[in-house]
Amino acid sequence: MIIRQDLLSLRRTAGSDHVILALPENLDILAFLVELWRTRSGATSLGDHYAAAPVLVGVDPPPFMADIGCVHEAVRLWNGWERTAPLTQAEAAARQVESADVLYVPAGKDADSRYASGVASLVEQINGTAPLLDPSADEEHLVRPLPADFGEQWLARLDPMVIPGIRRGSPHLAPSVESVLWRARRPAHPQRLADALANVMRGVVRSRGHLWLSSRPDSVVTWRSAGAHLDLREAGRWLEPEETRAWQAATPQRRTLASWFWHDCYGERRNEIVLTGVDLDERATRLALDEVLLTDRELAQGRDAWAAVPDPLLG
């Protein structure tokens, strides 16, 4: 990668204490950074010369709100090796926010200040962990080194099994903006889920997670929405106790989560979704999702009966 060589050359010739990378909008930022910092055989690693600093993402409220609602235009993001499959503009905008270690939303003036504050609340919830930068007081956020395992943390955030955190008690949060975490330890019925989506997704701006669909009992089905577009797709298999190679290939965070949620019969299988939006009805959302789960009678029929259920979502 040319950027890697340029950074190494800059370090050798200039010896600068800090180098700021201004990244373009057409990058899948976390995937790009994982590739940039990856140690290559026979090549010098960036980690031998640089300590990674936080990823700062600036959000301009009007363009961001236009992008997060745009689901009719497709874009391809570059990850440093290849371009992604087509994504909606809304998905690309959400991924940029989720890649941040620090967020910056410029405060609006006068009539725009309330609008900017609402957008700041939304991006804080979409990310869940990144602090909002106050330029007058928080310069240390921009130069503090990341933890030694920053590469593993970047990689873990790309793992479909690692869902975003939920922010509680931030002084910036508008009361109308919130996130709902839903978990369940039995399979979801695909037809009932399809029927419930209109109610589940009402007011949702961004959601991420994974499903245990009865029609795909061995597959992790990722759930990802941005704006009015919901994407469901198979993304690998659930970890099984006897599959040593799969356990070794999984990220440390994935193995830790599997251990936390392990069930003697079902292993790590579970439904887990975080939905973020405006004026969400948490109780109604949870109830609608709970009702898509297999009943005790359906559960007792076993995996062969589950897999035979018609699936309007994945075919």
Side-chain angles (χ1 to χ4, degrees):
M1 186 183 294
I2 295 175
I3 295 177
R4 180 188 293 110
Q5 298 305 318
D6 288 345
L7 287 171
L8 292 174
S9 176
L10 186 64
R11 187 63 174 170
R12 287 192 297 268
T13 58
S16 301
D17 289 337
H18 299 103
V19 175
I20 297 175
L21 281 180
L23 302 177
E25 294 182 356
N26 63 343
L27 286 184
D28 194 355
I29 295 176
L30 282 181
F32 169 80
L33 291 175
V34 168
E35 175 64 23
L36 180 64
W37 284 86
R38 182 168 61 88
T39 301
R40 295 172 175 268
S41 58
T44 302
S45 169
L46 282 183
D48 295 335
H49 303 277
Y50 290 98
V55 177
L56 171 67
V57 172
V59 177
D60 189 0
F64 173 76
M65 293 307 295
D67 287 344
I68 201 68
C70 181
V71 297
H72 58 276
E73 292 185 10
V75 297
R76 290 177 181 266
L77 302 181
W78 188 59
N79 62 15
W81 183 254
E82 60 184 2
R83 293 196 177 275
T84 64
L87 305 170
T88 65
Q89 187 66 51
E91 175 66 27
R95 288 193 185 190
Q96 280 204 326
V97 168
E98 290 166 346
S99 69
D101 296 305
V102 181
L103 289 162
Y104 174 61
V105 181
K109 296 181 179 180
D110 302 327
D112 294 334
S113 61
R114 185 174 180 181
Y115 178 73
S117 177
V119 175
S121 296
L122 180 60
V123 299
E124 266 200 308
Q125 282 288 20
I126 289 175
N127 187 292
T129 57
L132 275 180
L133 177 69
D134 180 353
S136 65
D138 293 341
E139 289 90 349
E140 71 275 7
H141 282 311
L142 302 180
V143 296
R144 59 177 172 83
L146 293 177
D149 63 344
F150 66 87
E152 293 183 0
Q153 292 186 18
W154 285 340
L155 194 59
R157 284 153 66 184
L158 296 173
D159 192 315
M161 297 300 294
V162 179
I163 64 171
I166 292 182
R167 193 185 301 266
R168 302 292 189 192
S170 170
H172 305 285
L173 287 183
S176 60
V177 178
E178 61 179 320
S179 293
V180 176
L181 169 62
W182 176 71
R183 286 195 183 107
R185 295 306 304 267
R186 61 174 62 196
H189 189 289
Q191 182 63 63
R192 291 203 291 269
L193 177 58
D195 294 340
L197 284 178
N199 292 327
V200 170
M201 301 302 290
R202 184 176 293 118
V204 173
V205 176
R206 176 62 163 166
S207 62
R208 282 180 56 191
H210 45 268
L211 291 172
W212 175 17
L213 275 184
S214 64
S215 55
R216 300 285 193 278
D218 294 322
S219 298
V220 178
V221 176
T222 58
W223 169 300
R224 192 184 291 263
S225 79
H229 182 266
L230 172 64
D231 181 75
L232 302 176
R233 64 182 63 203
E234 292 182 88
R237 298 172 65 85
W238 298 105
L239 294 178
E240 304 286 359
E242 66 274 8
E243 295 181 357
T244 305
R245 182 175 298 179
W247 274 87
Q248 292 175 342
T251 64
Q253 290 80 1
R254 170 80 180 272
R255 294 195 294 267
T256 299
L257 288 171
S259 299
W260 283 350
F261 294 106
W262 195 258
H263 187 283
D264 288 341
C265 181
Y266 302 130
E268 69 164 345
R269 290 173 176 83
R270 65 190 184 278
N271 302 289
E272 195 170 23
I273 305 170
V274 171
L275 305 105
T276 298
V278 179
D279 294 327
L280 299 185
D281 187 332
E282 180 173 354
R283 183 176 180 277
T285 299
R286 291 183 183 279
L287 180 61
L289 286 169
D290 287 343
E291 288 181 346
V292 310
L293 301 175
L294 295 190
T295 64
D296 290 343
R297 180 178 179 180
E298 291 169 331
L299 198 64
Q301 293 175 354
R303 289 162 57 99
D304 290 342
W306 306 347
V309 172
D311 185 349
L313 297 172
L314 295 179

